[in-house]
Every structure is written in C-alpha cells, then in structure tokens.
C-alpha cells in the first residue's frame, strides 16, 4: 500500500474467471463477490511509499526514493 496526502492509496489488480476458467485481469476499481471466493494478498514494505500527482502525465506516480 502507498500513501497520498496522508491517506492510504491502493493500487489493486484482479483476475476473474468464468465457469470454463477463461480469465480476465486488470486494475480493480470496484467489485462484488457473490457465490465465488476471494483471495487477498497484502505486501508490507519496510519503507513508506508515497504517490504524487505528476503533470503533464496526469497520474498519481509512486515515488521511489
């Protein structure tokens, strides 16, 4: 997990499959789990990771210093 403006900033990827195990993946913006299952992996870093808005890219970029 990273931080932005002193608040948690999550960057989440997900993979979902259908009944025949065809898979789709990408950035997870929201989700609802119904009859399936959900597995979550959390990685703890030894340093505080910060995100900062960088222009002209217009994206919150992870600052690796």
């Amino acid at each position: 997990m990273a931080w932005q403006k002193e608040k948690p900033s999550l960057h989440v990827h997900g993979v979902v499959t259908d009944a025949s195990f065809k898979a789709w993946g990408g950035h997870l913006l929201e989700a609802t789990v119904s009859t399936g299952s959900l597995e979550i992996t959390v990685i703890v870093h030894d340093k505080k990771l910060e995100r900062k808005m960088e222009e002209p890219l217009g994206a919150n970029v992870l600052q690796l210093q």
Side-chain angles (χ1 to χ4, degrees):
M1 176 175 67
W3 296 84
Q4 183 174 7
K5 297 180 182 178
E6 300 302 319
K7 294 183 180 180
S9 175
L10 300 179
H11 184 107
V12 182
H13 295 144
V15 177
V16 297
T17 63
D18 62 13
S20 66
F21 299 105
K22 184 175 180 181
W24 295 268
H27 290 104
L28 185 63
L29 303 177
E30 63 180 80
T32 302
V33 178
S34 59
T35 59
S37 65
L38 173 67
E39 296 181 25
I40 299 173
T41 301
V42 177
I43 299 171
V44 179
H45 298 278
D46 61 347
K47 296 181 180 172
K48 186 175 181 180
L49 301 175
E50 301 266 355
R51 289 192 182 280
K52 179 182 171 188
M53 177 60 74
E54 290 196 4
E55 298 295 343
L57 185 59
N60 295 315
V61 177
L62 193 59
Q63 305 298 300
L64 302 173
Q65 298 178 22

mmCIF file of all heavy atoms in Angstrom, residues 25-54:
data_model
loop_
_atom_site.group_PDB
_atom_site.id
_atom_site.type_symbol
_atom_site.label_atom_id
_atom_site.label_comp_id
_atom_site.label_asym_id
_atom_site.label_seq_id
_atom_site.Cartn_x
_atom_site.Cartn_y
_atom_site.Cartn_z
ATOM 1 N N GLY A 25 -8.186 -9.968 -16.562
ATOM 2 C CA GLY A 25 -7.462 -9.314 -15.479
ATOM 3 C C GLY A 25 -7.214 -7.856 -15.766
ATOM 4 O O GLY A 25 -7.338 -7.395 -16.899
ATOM 5 N N GLY A 26 -6.868 -7.116 -14.735
ATOM 6 C CA GLY A 26 -6.542 -5.701 -14.885
ATOM 7 C C GLY A 26 -6.693 -4.958 -13.581
ATOM 8 O O GLY A 26 -6.761 -5.556 -12.500
ATOM 9 N N HIS A 27 -6.760 -3.636 -13.668
ATOM 10 C CA HIS A 27 -6.947 -2.804 -12.484
ATOM 11 C C HIS A 27 -8.343 -3.038 -11.917
ATOM 12 O O HIS A 27 -9.317 -3.064 -12.656
ATOM 13 C CB HIS A 27 -6.766 -1.318 -12.821
ATOM 14 C CG HIS A 27 -5.352 -0.977 -13.123
ATOM 15 N ND1 HIS A 27 -4.903 -0.765 -14.409
ATOM 16 C CD2 HIS A 27 -4.284 -0.830 -12.314
ATOM 17 C CE1 HIS A 27 -3.614 -0.482 -14.366
ATOM 18 N NE2 HIS A 27 -3.212 -0.518 -13.108
ATOM 19 N N LEU A 28 -8.420 -3.183 -10.616
ATOM 20 C CA LEU A 28 -9.686 -3.404 -9.933
ATOM 21 C C LEU A 28 -10.132 -2.089 -9.299
ATOM 22 O O LEU A 28 -9.484 -1.573 -8.387
ATOM 23 C CB LEU A 28 -9.523 -4.494 -8.871
ATOM 24 C CG LEU A 28 -10.773 -4.926 -8.146
ATOM 25 C CD1 LEU A 28 -11.765 -5.556 -9.121
ATOM 26 C CD2 LEU A 28 -10.424 -5.910 -7.047
ATOM 27 N N LEU A 29 -11.224 -1.538 -9.813
ATOM 28 C CA LEU A 29 -11.736 -0.270 -9.300
ATOM 29 C C LEU A 29 -12.870 -0.491 -8.302
ATOM 30 O O LEU A 29 -13.048 0.285 -7.371
ATOM 31 C CB LEU A 29 -12.203 0.614 -10.453
ATOM 32 C CG LEU A 29 -11.131 0.913 -11.505
ATOM 33 C CD1 LEU A 29 -11.714 1.731 -12.649
ATOM 34 C CD2 LEU A 29 -9.938 1.615 -10.881
ATOM 35 N N GLU A 30 -13.647 -1.547 -8.507
ATOM 36 C CA GLU A 30 -14.677 -1.946 -7.552
ATOM 37 C C GLU A 30 -15.066 -3.374 -7.872
ATOM 38 O O GLU A 30 -14.820 -3.874 -8.971
ATOM 39 C CB GLU A 30 -15.906 -1.041 -7.615
ATOM 40 C CG GLU A 30 -16.643 -1.077 -8.935
ATOM 41 C CD GLU A 30 -17.852 -0.156 -8.933
ATOM 42 O OE1 GLU A 30 -17.668 1.053 -9.125
ATOM 43 O OE2 GLU A 30 -18.954 -0.676 -8.724
ATOM 44 N N ALA A 31 -15.658 -4.077 -6.893
ATOM 45 C CA ALA A 31 -16.016 -5.474 -7.121
ATOM 46 C C ALA A 31 -17.061 -5.916 -6.115
ATOM 47 O O ALA A 31 -17.163 -5.370 -5.017
ATOM 48 C CB ALA A 31 -14.796 -6.369 -7.008
ATOM 49 N N THR A 32 -17.823 -6.918 -6.505
ATOM 50 C CA THR A 32 -18.771 -7.599 -5.623
ATOM 51 C C THR A 32 -18.513 -9.092 -5.746
ATOM 52 O O THR A 32 -18.450 -9.621 -6.849
ATOM 53 C CB THR A 32 -20.222 -7.296 -6.029
ATOM 54 O OG1 THR A 32 -20.427 -5.882 -5.980
ATOM 55 C CG2 THR A 32 -21.202 -7.991 -5.117
ATOM 56 N N VAL A 33 -18.327 -9.765 -4.624
ATOM 57 C CA VAL A 33 -18.116 -11.208 -4.620
ATOM 58 C C VAL A 33 -19.431 -11.845 -4.192
ATOM 59 O O VAL A 33 -19.981 -11.510 -3.151
ATOM 60 C CB VAL A 33 -16.993 -11.611 -3.640
ATOM 61 C CG1 VAL A 33 -16.824 -13.121 -3.610
ATOM 62 C CG2 VAL A 33 -15.699 -10.925 -4.026
ATOM 63 N N SER A 34 -19.937 -12.761 -5.028
ATOM 64 C CA SER A 34 -21.218 -13.395 -4.676
ATOM 65 C C SER A 34 -20.990 -14.842 -4.261
ATOM 66 O O SER A 34 -20.599 -15.101 -3.140
ATOM 67 C CB SER A 34 -22.202 -13.274 -5.834
ATOM 68 O OG SER A 34 -21.675 -13.899 -6.996
ATOM 69 N N THR A 35 -21.180 -15.797 -5.162
ATOM 70 C CA THR A 35 -21.095 -17.202 -4.787
ATOM 71 C C THR A 35 -19.689 -17.778 -4.915
ATOM 72 O O THR A 35 -19.467 -18.936 -4.597
ATOM 73 C CB THR A 35 -22.044 -18.045 -5.666
ATOM 74 O OG1 THR A 35 -21.671 -17.869 -7.034
ATOM 75 C CG2 THR A 35 -23.474 -17.622 -5.458
ATOM 76 N N GLY A 36 -18.743 -16.993 -5.382
ATOM 77 C CA GLY A 36 -17.376 -17.472 -5.541
ATOM 78 C C GLY A 36 -16.559 -17.256 -4.286
ATOM 79 O O GLY A 36 -17.088 -17.192 -3.175
ATOM 80 N N SER A 37 -15.273 -17.141 -4.462
ATOM 81 C CA SER A 37 -14.383 -16.880 -3.334
ATOM 82 C C SER A 37 -13.490 -15.691 -3.665
ATOM 83 O O SER A 37 -13.406 -15.256 -4.801
ATOM 84 C CB SER A 37 -13.525 -18.110 -3.021
ATOM 85 O OG SER A 37 -12.650 -18.383 -4.092
ATOM 86 N N LEU A 38 -12.820 -15.189 -2.652
ATOM 87 C CA LEU A 38 -11.947 -14.036 -2.803
ATOM 88 C C LEU A 38 -10.662 -14.308 -2.042
ATOM 89 O O LEU A 38 -10.708 -14.727 -0.887
ATOM 90 C CB LEU A 38 -12.627 -12.784 -2.245
ATOM 91 C CG LEU A 38 -11.800 -11.514 -2.167
ATOM 92 C CD1 LEU A 38 -11.469 -11.020 -3.566
ATOM 93 C CD2 LEU A 38 -12.554 -10.455 -1.392
ATOM 94 N N GLU A 39 -9.530 -14.115 -2.700
ATOM 95 C CA GLU A 39 -8.229 -14.240 -2.057
ATOM 96 C C GLU A 39 -7.540 -12.892 -2.128
ATOM 97 O O GLU A 39 -7.538 -12.253 -3.175
ATOM 98 C CB GLU A 39 -7.370 -15.290 -2.745
ATOM 99 C CG GLU A 39 -7.923 -16.686 -2.654
ATOM 100 C CD GLU A 39 -7.036 -17.705 -3.338
ATOM 101 O OE1 GLU A 39 -5.818 -17.459 -3.460
ATOM 102 O OE2 GLU A 39 -7.568 -18.744 -3.737
ATOM 103 N N ILE A 40 -6.976 -12.456 -1.022
ATOM 104 C CA ILE A 40 -6.302 -11.158 -0.948
ATOM 105 C C ILE A 40 -4.876 -11.360 -0.462
ATOM 106 O O ILE A 40 -4.652 -12.066 0.519
ATOM 107 C CB ILE A 40 -7.044 -10.200 0.007
ATOM 108 C CG1 ILE A 40 -8.455 -9.955 -0.505
ATOM 109 C CG2 ILE A 40 -6.277 -8.897 0.169
ATOM 110 C CD1 ILE A 40 -9.315 -9.155 0.443
ATOM 111 N N THR A 41 -3.921 -10.729 -1.153
ATOM 112 C CA THR A 41 -2.526 -10.742 -0.720
ATOM 113 C C THR A 41 -2.125 -9.310 -0.400
ATOM 114 O O THR A 41 -2.326 -8.410 -1.209
ATOM 115 C CB THR A 41 -1.606 -11.286 -1.836
ATOM 116 O OG1 THR A 41 -2.030 -12.603 -2.174
ATOM 117 C CG2 THR A 41 -0.163 -11.308 -1.385
ATOM 118 N N VAL A 42 -1.580 -9.112 0.780
ATOM 119 C CA VAL A 42 -1.116 -7.786 1.197
ATOM 120 C C VAL A 42 0.396 -7.848 1.342
ATOM 121 O O VAL A 42 0.923 -8.744 2.007
ATOM 122 C CB VAL A 42 -1.765 -7.359 2.536
ATOM 123 C CG1 VAL A 42 -1.211 -6.021 2.994
ATOM 124 C CG2 VAL A 42 -3.268 -7.329 2.408
ATOM 125 N N ILE A 43 1.078 -6.903 0.707
ATOM 126 C CA ILE A 43 2.534 -6.845 0.789
ATOM 127 C C ILE A 43 2.917 -5.651 1.665
ATOM 128 O O ILE A 43 2.494 -4.525 1.408
ATOM 129 C CB ILE A 43 3.161 -6.702 -0.611
ATOM 130 C CG1 ILE A 43 2.787 -7.925 -1.457
ATOM 131 C CG2 ILE A 43 4.673 -6.534 -0.507
ATOM 132 C CD1 ILE A 43 3.176 -7.794 -2.904
ATOM 133 N N VAL A 44 3.702 -5.911 2.692
ATOM 134 C CA VAL A 44 4.150 -4.861 3.598
ATOM 135 C C VAL A 44 5.581 -4.491 3.228
ATOM 136 O O VAL A 44 6.452 -5.357 3.131
ATOM 137 C CB VAL A 44 4.079 -5.335 5.065
ATOM 138 C CG1 VAL A 44 4.580 -4.244 5.998
ATOM 139 C CG2 VAL A 44 2.661 -5.749 5.421
ATOM 140 N N HIS A 45 5.811 -3.202 3.001
ATOM 141 C CA HIS A 45 7.135 -2.711 2.642
ATOM 142 C C HIS A 45 7.819 -2.133 3.880
ATOM 143 O O HIS A 45 7.154 -1.642 4.797
ATOM 144 C CB HIS A 45 7.030 -1.625 1.571
ATOM 145 C CG HIS A 45 6.425 -2.137 0.288
ATOM 146 N ND1 HIS A 45 7.156 -2.804 -0.651
ATOM 147 C CD2 HIS A 45 5.156 -2.086 -0.181
ATOM 148 C CE1 HIS A 45 6.371 -3.156 -1.659
ATOM 149 N NE2 HIS A 45 5.158 -2.727 -1.399
ATOM 150 N N ASP A 46 9.134 -2.150 3.878
ATOM 151 C CA ASP A 46 9.870 -1.608 5.020
ATOM 152 C C ASP A 46 10.006 -0.087 4.973
ATOM 153 O O ASP A 46 10.448 0.529 5.926
ATOM 154 C CB ASP A 46 11.245 -2.256 5.143
ATOM 155 C CG ASP A 46 12.138 -2.027 3.940
ATOM 156 O OD1 ASP A 46 11.622 -1.576 2.891
ATOM 157 O OD2 ASP A 46 13.343 -2.302 4.039
ATOM 158 N N LYS A 47 9.599 0.532 3.843
ATOM 159 C CA LYS A 47 9.640 1.985 3.721
ATOM 160 C C LYS A 47 8.247 2.491 3.370
ATOM 161 O O LYS A 47 7.448 1.787 2.765
ATOM 162 C CB LYS A 47 10.626 2.409 2.633
ATOM 163 C CG LYS A 47 12.053 2.031 2.952
ATOM 164 C CD LYS A 47 12.994 2.491 1.884
ATOM 165 C CE LYS A 47 14.401 2.064 2.285
ATOM 166 N NZ LYS A 47 15.363 2.301 1.244
ATOM 167 N N LYS A 48 7.969 3.724 3.751
ATOM 168 C CA LYS A 48 6.678 4.332 3.418
ATOM 169 C C LYS A 48 6.689 4.745 1.947
ATOM 170 O O LYS A 48 7.541 5.524 1.524
ATOM 171 C CB LYS A 48 6.411 5.542 4.308
ATOM 172 C CG LYS A 48 5.040 6.132 4.115
ATOM 173 C CD LYS A 48 4.775 7.256 5.095
ATOM 174 C CE LYS A 48 3.392 7.824 4.909
ATOM 175 N NZ LYS A 48 3.108 8.917 5.832
ATOM 176 N N LEU A 49 5.772 4.198 1.168
ATOM 177 C CA LEU A 49 5.663 4.518 -0.250
ATOM 178 C C LEU A 49 4.673 5.658 -0.440
ATOM 179 O O LEU A 49 3.580 5.630 0.131
ATOM 180 C CB LEU A 49 5.200 3.285 -1.034
ATOM 181 C CG LEU A 49 6.099 2.052 -0.921
ATOM 182 C CD1 LEU A 49 5.462 0.882 -1.643
ATOM 183 C CD2 LEU A 49 7.478 2.348 -1.471
ATOM 184 N N GLU A 50 5.041 6.664 -1.214
ATOM 185 C CA GLU A 50 4.188 7.832 -1.431
ATOM 186 C C GLU A 50 3.841 7.965 -2.907
ATOM 187 O O GLU A 50 4.651 7.672 -3.782
ATOM 188 C CB GLU A 50 4.922 9.112 -0.995
ATOM 189 C CG GLU A 50 5.335 9.136 0.448
ATOM 190 C CD GLU A 50 4.309 9.808 1.349
ATOM 191 O OE1 GLU A 50 3.309 10.340 0.834
ATOM 192 O OE2 GLU A 50 4.531 9.782 2.568
ATOM 193 N N ARG A 51 2.613 8.422 -3.175
ATOM 194 C CA ARG A 51 2.183 8.741 -4.542
ATOM 195 C C ARG A 51 2.060 10.253 -4.663
ATOM 196 O O ARG A 51 1.659 10.941 -3.736
ATOM 197 C CB ARG A 51 0.826 8.108 -4.848
ATOM 198 C CG ARG A 51 0.897 6.631 -4.978
ATOM 199 C CD ARG A 51 -0.401 6.078 -5.573
ATOM 200 N NE ARG A 51 -0.340 4.646 -5.655
ATOM 201 C CZ ARG A 51 0.285 3.969 -6.606
ATOM 202 N NH1 ARG A 51 0.887 4.611 -7.578
ATOM 203 N NH2 ARG A 51 0.306 2.658 -6.603
ATOM 204 N N LYS A 52 2.417 10.762 -5.858
ATOM 205 C CA LYS A 52 2.360 12.203 -6.106
ATOM 206 C C LYS A 52 1.829 12.428 -7.520
ATOM 207 O O LYS A 52 2.235 11.738 -8.457
ATOM 208 C CB LYS A 52 3.765 12.793 -5.961
ATOM 209 C CG LYS A 52 3.843 14.276 -6.228
ATOM 210 C CD LYS A 52 5.278 14.748 -6.107
ATOM 211 C CE LYS A 52 5.414 16.175 -6.589
ATOM 212 N NZ LYS A 52 6.820 16.592 -6.661
ATOM 213 N N MET A 53 0.915 13.380 -7.664
ATOM 214 C CA MET A 53 0.375 13.731 -8.976
ATOM 215 C C MET A 53 1.487 14.349 -9.815
ATOM 216 O O MET A 53 2.146 15.286 -9.379
ATOM 217 C CB MET A 53 -0.785 14.711 -8.844
ATOM 218 C CG MET A 53 -1.344 15.173 -10.183
ATOM 219 S SD MET A 53 -2.002 13.869 -11.236
ATOM 220 C CE MET A 53 -3.521 13.500 -10.392
ATOM 221 N N GLU A 54 1.717 13.779 -10.986
ATOM 222 C CA GLU A 54 2.744 14.295 -11.889
ATOM 223 C C GLU A 54 2.087 14.754 -13.181
ATOM 224 O O GLU A 54 1.347 14.013 -13.811
ATOM 225 C CB GLU A 54 3.803 13.229 -12.174
ATOM 226 C CG GLU A 54 4.674 12.943 -10.963
ATOM 227 C CD GLU A 54 5.943 12.192 -11.309
ATOM 228 O OE1 GLU A 54 6.196 11.944 -12.498
ATOM 229 O OE2 GLU A 54 6.675 11.857 -10.371
#
